[in-house]
């Protein structure tokens, strides 16, 4: 379903030593006895999903859509990026969703954003889905403080049936609040970390509310779970991608540029940056993830990628089939001198541009990886996101890193809390 290509020779990477290391990573993953094994719930989550759970998600999404025009999703990091990535990839560019909108809050701290959001939804019926695994993260908690008040002022007691909470089963301030108010709750499983949670209620409820087919999304993830679980180094693209990027890192290519010609995948790139950056960037090591959308960025960062410091490799998400297309037509006077393109579709243009850019960057000393996916729909997105999560686990373990914690993000929080004189800091 996914094909990984590489400008070098994969067989050179897969030395006997590397194969042995990969084998032991594979065994540790599937026996669930490696480092961070208490956060491996995502590995077999798609196949373990129960029908009643999926029905609950779909019914709740229908309920939200039937009584509201807008769902505001409050969350940050892994509690926001998965849903945002899938929704952005699937919704049209314009007239995003004429009958129902999913908007996001709590992923930054901007008074202007929140004020304008509340003004924007004033003449619309609103529901809230507040998502926080810990139930204590400051940015979403702050946004929820304002939006909960807004809902109570506007709807009175009815607000309680318009607020949906996704959090830990037992712990956290949000859990307590939800219990007190009787909000409908969904659980973030203990053994699934934020950036691996897109197939739990964290991602599924907003995606279903946006009107997309969560069953197809899960089917894609399920097929990926099944097909990528074998230890076949020639066939398994998840292991290949993890092994190639690690090899490049060892050769001094410490930055990975994730490129795409599909602007709609922009938030898949953001999700990918969080997944790999937060999973691997520890102990003064890890590949730094960067993203570009082409051809837009060929006219900005393209210069650096072609000619700048040689510590980059590039990986492309290449989409084989376009959802919609246009064909260049012949013009009588050929004033723009584009008749030579007549008959070519814009998607074909992009596929050719991919080949050209890839060749040019390779000749400039930037190794090239291609991650080829058939199309952008629910099924293939489910497959792609699962593929990246699994690759990330291999890649981080190759570095000797536990992919599932994020000790570094506590330091900035402590510094802010001290300045704000939070009790206990
Ligand atoms: O991947 C992660 O674990 C983080 O990015 C979290 O998702 C993020 O910090 C938000 O945490 P929480 O869901 O507890 O509010």
């Amino acid at each position: 379903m996914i094909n990984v290509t590489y400008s070098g020779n994969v067989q050179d990477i897969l030395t006997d030593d590397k194969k042995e290391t990969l084998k032991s990573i594979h065994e540790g993953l599937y026996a669930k006895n490696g480092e961070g094994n208490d956060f491996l719930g995502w590995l077999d989550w798609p196949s373990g999903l129960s029908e009643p759970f999926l029905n609950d998600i779909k019914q709740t999404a229908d309920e939200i859509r039937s009584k509201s025009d807008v769902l505001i999703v409050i969350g940050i990091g892994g509690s926001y990026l998965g849903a945002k990535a899938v929704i952005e990839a699937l919704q049209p560019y314009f007239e995003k969703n004429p009958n129902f909108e999913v908007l996001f809050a709590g992923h930054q701290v901007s008074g202007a954003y929140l004020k304008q959001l509340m003004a924007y939804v004033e003449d619309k019926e609103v529901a809230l889905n507040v998502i926080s695994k810990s139930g204590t993260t400051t940015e979403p908690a702050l946004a929820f403080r304002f939006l909960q008040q807004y809902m109570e002022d506007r709807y009175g007691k009815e607000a309680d049936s318009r607020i949906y909470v996704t959090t830990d089963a037992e712990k956290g301030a949000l859990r307590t609040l939800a219990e007190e108010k009787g909000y409908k709750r969904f659980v973030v499983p203990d053994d699934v970390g934020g950036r691996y949670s897109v197939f739990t209620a964290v991602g599924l409820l907003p995606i279903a509310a946006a009107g997309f087919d969560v069953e197809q999304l899960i089917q894609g993830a399920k097929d990926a779970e099944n097909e990528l679980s074998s230890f076949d180094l020639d066939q398994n693209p998840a292991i290949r991608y993890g092994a190639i990027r690690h090899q490049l890192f060892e050769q001094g290519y410490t930055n990975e540029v994730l490129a795409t010609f599909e602007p709609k995948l922009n938030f898949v790139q953001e999700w990918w940056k969080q997944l790999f950056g937060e999973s691997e960037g520890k102990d003064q090591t890890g590949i730094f993830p960067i993203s570009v959308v082409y051809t837009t960025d060929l006219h900005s960062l393209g210069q650096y990628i072609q000619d700048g410091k040689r510590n980059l490799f590039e990986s492309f998400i290449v989409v084989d089939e376009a959802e919609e297309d246009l064909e260049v037509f012949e013009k009588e006077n050929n004033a723009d001198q584009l008749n030579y393109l007549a008959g070519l579709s814009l998607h074909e243009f992009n596929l050719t541009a991919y080949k050209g850019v890839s060749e040019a960057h390779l000749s400039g000393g930037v190794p090239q990886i291609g991650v080829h996916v058939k199309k952008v729909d629910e099924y293939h997105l489910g497959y792609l996101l699962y593929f990246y999560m699994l690759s990330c686990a291999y890649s981080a373990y190759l570095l000797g890193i536990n992919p599932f914690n994020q000790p570094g993000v506590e330091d900035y929080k402590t510094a802010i809390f001290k300045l704000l004189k939070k009790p206990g800091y």
Side-chain angles (χ1 to χ4, degrees):
M1 230 11 106
I2 280 187
N3 185 20
V4 169
T5 53
Y6 174 45
S7 57
N9 186 349
V10 183
Q11 293 317 318
D12 291 347
I13 295 173
L14 298 174
T15 58
D16 287 347
D17 274 1
K18 191 54 82 42
K19 281 182 187 164
E20 228 169 89
T21 311
L22 285 167
K23 178 89 184 146
S24 90
I25 292 172
H26 178 83
E27 286 168 359
L29 260 177
Y30 288 93
K32 295 199 176 181
N33 60 12
E35 214 194 339
N37 58 6
D38 43 347
F39 277 95
L40 277 174
W42 58 272
L43 191 65
D44 47 12
W45 178 263
S47 62
L49 260 186
S50 74
E51 220 179 295
F53 168 76
L54 260 189
N55 286 339
D56 192 14
I57 292 281
K58 287 190 291 181
Q59 275 160 16
T60 308
D62 287 346
E63 176 188 300
I64 293 172
R65 289 170 70 85
S66 70
K67 63 183 178 196
S68 314
D69 306 309
V70 173
L71 173 68
I72 301 176
V73 178
I74 302 174
I76 196 165
S79 289
Y80 136 79
L81 280 165
K84 178 81 175 165
V86 173
I87 293 170
E88 286 284 317
L90 294 175
Q91 71 186 356
Y93 283 110
F94 308 102
E95 278 275 311
K96 289 207 176 287
N97 201 331
N99 303 317
F100 190 82
E101 275 183 286
V102 175
L103 302 172
F104 291 87
H107 53 295
Q108 27 74 340
V109 182
S110 162
Y113 183 94
L114 274 181
K115 269 182 104 164
Q116 289 172 29
L117 176 64
M118 289 187 270
Y120 175 70
V121 297
E122 198 49 37
D123 60 350
K124 299 174 176 70
E125 297 300 332
V126 185
L128 286 189
N129 179 199
V130 50
I131 307 174
S132 175
K133 179 171 175 169
S134 62
T136 55
T137 306
T138 310
E139 296 91 331
L142 259 177
F144 187 49
R145 177 176 276 225
F146 287 103
L147 289 167
Q148 184 194 34
Q149 191 64 50
Y150 171 85
M151 295 294 279
E152 288 179 355
D153 291 346
R154 186 168 156 183
Y155 290 107
K157 191 73 195 127
E158 195 203 327
D160 297 354
S161 62
R162 288 179 169 270
I163 297 178
Y164 302 82
V165 167
T166 310
T167 191
D168 187 87
E170 311 284 345
K171 310 181 291 279
L174 187 57
R175 160 77 179 76
T176 315
L177 197 72
E179 177 91 336
E180 268 170 30
K181 293 279 188 181
Y183 299 148
K184 176 152 175 88
R185 270 191 300 127
F186 287 92
V187 167
V188 189
D190 254 356
D191 56 356
V192 180
R195 55 194 177 276
Y196 296 84
S197 70
V198 58
F199 301 122
T200 71
V202 171
L204 294 185
L205 184 59
I207 294 167
F212 299 114
D213 186 342
V214 286
E215 268 172 306
Q216 275 304 303
L217 185 82
I218 291 298
Q219 190 57 49
K222 225 192 252 185
D223 286 354
E225 177 192 326
N226 180 31
E227 287 167 26
L228 304 178
S229 64
S230 73
F231 188 71
D232 179 343
L233 295 179
D234 293 325
Q235 296 297 328
N236 190 326
I239 306 180
R240 282 165 79 91
Y241 175 59
I244 295 166
R245 66 195 300 284
H246 176 69
Q247 180 71 14
L248 290 169
F249 177 74
E250 287 197 324
Q251 291 170 355
Y253 299 100
T254 54
N255 299 278
E256 177 173 3
V257 183
L258 181 68
T260 182
F261 285 85
E262 291 293 333
K264 279 189 175 179
L265 294 183
N266 184 218
F267 270 91
V268 170
Q269 294 172 302
E270 294 302 313
W271 173 88
W272 170 91
K273 283 195 275 193
Q274 190 218 356
L275 176 69
F276 280 84
E278 208 171 14
S279 296
E280 283 191 338
K282 290 164 207 167
D283 301 344
Q284 280 77 57
T285 189
I287 298 170
F288 188 71
I290 309 158
S291 65
V292 290
V293 176
Y294 292 154
T295 61
T296 309
D297 287 321
L298 289 172
H299 300 262
S300 65
L301 291 176
Q303 170 60 39
Y304 190 105
I305 295 168
Q306 184 71 46
D307 254 354
K309 193 168 161 58
R310 298 300 72 188
N311 57 3
L312 309 172
F313 66 96
E314 202 167 23
S315 72
F316 282 86
I317 303 178
V318 188
V319 180
D320 294 340
E321 291 174 15
E323 78 176 309
E324 281 184 278
D325 212 351
L326 281 175
E327 197 172 283
V328 182
F329 51 89
E330 189 100 25
K331 245 186 141 181
E332 213 172 285
N333 63 7
N334 195 24
D336 54 11
Q337 299 181 1
L338 289 176
N339 273 356
Y340 78 100
L341 294 177
L344 189 80
S345 80
L346 297 190
H347 183 62
E348 285 163 349
F349 177 93
N350 276 332
L351 290 176
T352 310
Y354 160 59
K355 282 195 194 122
V357 169
S358 189
E359 271 170 31
H361 289 177
L362 181 63
S363 72
V366 181
Q368 300 287 304
I369 301 175
V371 171
H372 300 254
V373 59
K374 191 165 175 235
K375 55 177 156 175
V376 177
D377 61 8
E378 286 92 333
Y379 178 85
H380 292 89
L381 280 170
Y383 201 106
L384 181 71
L385 298 186
Y386 187 94
F387 156 83
Y388 275 131
M389 294 197 291
L390 187 60
S391 301
C392 183
Y394 280 100
S395 184
Y397 280 135
L398 281 169
L399 281 171
I401 295 287
N402 171 0
F404 308 117
N405 61 6
Q406 52 281 333
V409 299
E410 292 312 313
D411 295 356
Y412 90 87
K413 290 184 191 168
T414 307
I416 296 179
F417 293 154
K418 271 189 188 156
L419 290 170
L420 292 172
K421 302 193 175 26
K422 181 174 175 174
Y425 283 82

